[in-house]
């Protein structure tokens, strides 16, 4: 201990020094408590709140469905040896499919293939063998069920790669938040006072061609889906992945800038409320500093 500190400690009261230390400890504890309260109010800056729409992006199932994939996966017994066992990922139970297919297209293709592969019926019914025709029809039905189950598993997003699921989720986000869809049922933002009393002529909006892929809400939804993928990979054993951590930080800050811009332009509008409620974004995603630990 230095001489200056010794002299100060010699004339200092031990009781006052202990009181100062207790005040400092209480102040630090209060600051930590307030920090935890603010973090709880703002929410998670990376994931936000898990909503049914976000859960549907993770499970590749429509968010109206209440049956989970785990419930189907536990059912492994088939009713008869001729029928294939149920798959935990079945395209017939999903709304969004892989390879840019839709459910009506899949069903029509399966019906068409069934009609093409049906056994021929003898035109001369006097020489026809009913037992043989019934046996061939039964074999055809079993083969069609097996083929339908195989095709359903192939085009199911539950069996797709991460890249294909991300592509499908991007298409879903465009169809959900794109203004070519939302303009039909969401009210536009009310005009401001400055634009109401402005004497300048209003500029006509450029007509949109094709789906909306560049609006702020669409880009925020796409970034949210990518952020959840990177956050899942970063957890656990991949905490030392510096490249993944940097990419996650870049996506978080890019989404934060878009959220600040959209809050400035669309705060309180139906577009803003619809995006926040479906994506589960909290104030921590655009307020304050976002740190990836």
């Amino acid at each position: 201990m230095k001489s200056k500190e010794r002299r100060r400690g010699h004339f200092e009261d031990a009781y006052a020094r202990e009181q100062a230390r207790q005040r400092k400890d209480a102040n630090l504890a209060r600051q930590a408590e307030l920090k935890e309260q603010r973090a709880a109010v703002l929410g998670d800056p990376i994931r936000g709140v898990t909503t049914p729409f976000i859960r549907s992006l993770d499970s590749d199932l429509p968010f109206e469905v209440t049956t989970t994939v785990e419930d189907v996966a536990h059912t492994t017994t088939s009713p008869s040896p001729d029928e294939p066992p149920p798959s935990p990922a079945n395209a017939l139970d999903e709304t969004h499919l892989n390879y840019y297919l839709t459910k009506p297209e899949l069903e029509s293709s399966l019906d068409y293939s069934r009609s093409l592969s049906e056994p021929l019926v003898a035109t001369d019914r006097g020489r026809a063998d009913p037992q043989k025709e019934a046996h061939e029809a039964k074999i055809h039905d079993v083969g069609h069920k097996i083929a339908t189950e195989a095709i359903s598993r192939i085009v199911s997003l539950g069996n797709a790669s991460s890249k294909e699921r991300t592509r499908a989720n991007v298409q879903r986000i465009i169809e959900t938040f794109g203004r070519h869809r939302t303009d039909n049922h969401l009210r536009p933002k009310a005009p401001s006072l400055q634009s109401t009393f402005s004497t300048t002529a209003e500029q006509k909006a450029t007509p949109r061609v094709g789906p909306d892929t560049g609006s702020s809400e669409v880009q925020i939804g796409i970034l949210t889906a990518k952020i959840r993928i990177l956050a899942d990979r970063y957890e656990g054993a991949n905490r030392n992945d510096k490249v993944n951590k940097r990419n996650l930080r870049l996506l978080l800050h890019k989404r934060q800038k878009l959220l600040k811009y959209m809050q400035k332009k669309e705060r309180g509008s139906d577009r803003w409320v619809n995006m926040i409620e479906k994506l589960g974004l909290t104030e921590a995603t655009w307020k304050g500093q976002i740190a990836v630990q």
Side-chain angles (χ1 to χ4, degrees):
M1 189 166 59
K2 298 180 181 180
S3 59
K4 184 178 181 180
E5 295 178 356
R6 283 200 303 267
R7 289 195 303 269
R8 187 177 61 183
H10 179 72
F11 295 103
E12 211 174 47
D13 188 5
Y15 178 74
R17 186 168 59 250
E18 182 64 21
Q19 279 189 331
R21 188 188 63 81
Q22 292 180 1
R23 287 196 298 268
K24 181 179 179 181
D25 294 342
N27 188 16
L28 293 176
R30 180 58 179 169
Q31 289 181 7
E33 182 181 356
L34 292 176
K35 186 177 180 180
E36 292 180 357
Q37 292 179 0
R38 283 193 291 268
V41 171
L42 293 177
D44 188 4
I46 299 178
R47 295 181 179 274
V49 180
T50 303
T51 60
F53 180 77
I54 291 296
R55 197 179 299 113
S56 70
L57 295 180
D58 297 337
S59 60
D60 308 307
L61 292 174
F63 58 89
E64 294 84 6
V65 178
T66 57
T67 305
T68 60
V69 179
E70 289 78 6
D71 297 337
V72 183
H74 291 313
T75 308
T76 56
T77 58
S78 58
S80 67
D82 295 333
E83 297 182 2
S87 172
N90 195 338
L92 298 179
D93 299 332
E94 299 177 3
T95 305
H96 306 276
L97 307 178
N98 200 2
Y99 305 112
Y100 299 95
L101 289 175
T102 60
K103 192 172 181 180
E105 292 176 351
L106 176 63
E107 293 176 351
S108 63
S109 299
L110 291 175
D111 294 339
Y112 183 64
S113 64
R114 180 185 180 90
S115 63
L116 290 179
S117 59
E118 284 182 350
L120 297 177
V121 180
T123 56
D124 189 0
R125 302 306 302 170
R127 297 182 180 181
D129 188 358
Q131 294 182 355
K132 183 179 179 181
E133 290 181 350
H135 180 67
E136 291 178 352
K138 183 179 179 180
I139 294 176
H140 175 262
D141 291 339
V142 173
H144 181 70
K145 289 181 181 180
I146 296 175
T148 301
E149 180 68 20
I151 294 297
S152 300
R153 296 187 183 190
I154 289 173
V155 301
S156 172
L157 283 176
N159 298 326
S161 63
S162 177
K163 182 178 180 180
E164 293 170 341
R165 287 197 297 269
T166 303
R167 177 197 56 75
N169 288 337
V170 167
Q171 293 298 124
R172 295 177 59 184
I173 290 170
I174 292 174
E175 294 298 324
T176 303
F177 298 103
R179 297 189 181 182
H180 64 288
R181 300 281 188 182
T182 57
D183 286 346
N184 299 327
H185 61 275
L186 294 181
R187 296 174 300 176
K189 182 184 177 182
S192 60
L193 294 177
Q194 182 178 1
S195 61
T196 303
F197 295 102
S198 178
T199 58
T200 58
E202 296 183 358
Q203 184 179 3
K204 294 183 178 179
T206 304
R208 183 177 288 108
V209 179
D212 176 24
T213 59
S215 61
S216 299
E217 52 267 35
V218 173
Q219 294 299 317
I220 291 171
I222 294 174
L223 288 173
T224 301
K226 294 181 178 180
I227 285 170
R228 292 184 67 85
I229 295 175
L230 290 180
D232 292 338
R233 293 177 182 175
Y234 183 66
E235 292 178 351
N238 298 323
R239 299 290 293 184
N240 295 325
D241 190 353
K242 304 300 182 183
V243 177
N244 193 8
K245 182 178 180 180
R246 180 179 181 274
N247 294 334
L248 178 60
R249 189 186 297 113
L250 290 175
L251 292 180
L252 287 172
H253 291 165
K254 188 175 181 180
R255 184 181 67 175
Q256 185 183 30
K257 291 180 181 179
L258 288 173
L259 282 169
K260 288 182 178 179
Y261 170 79
M262 189 172 180
Q263 185 194 26
K264 180 181 178 181
K265 296 294 184 180
E266 298 285 343
R267 182 178 57 184
S269 64
D270 290 351
R271 291 174 183 169
W272 173 262
V273 174
N274 178 60
M275 181 192 66
I276 293 298
E277 290 180 352
K278 287 190 176 180
L279 295 180
L281 300 176
T282 59
E283 293 184 354
T285 56
W286 70 83
K287 285 186 177 181
Q289 182 179 3
I290 300 177
V292 181
Q293 303 297 333

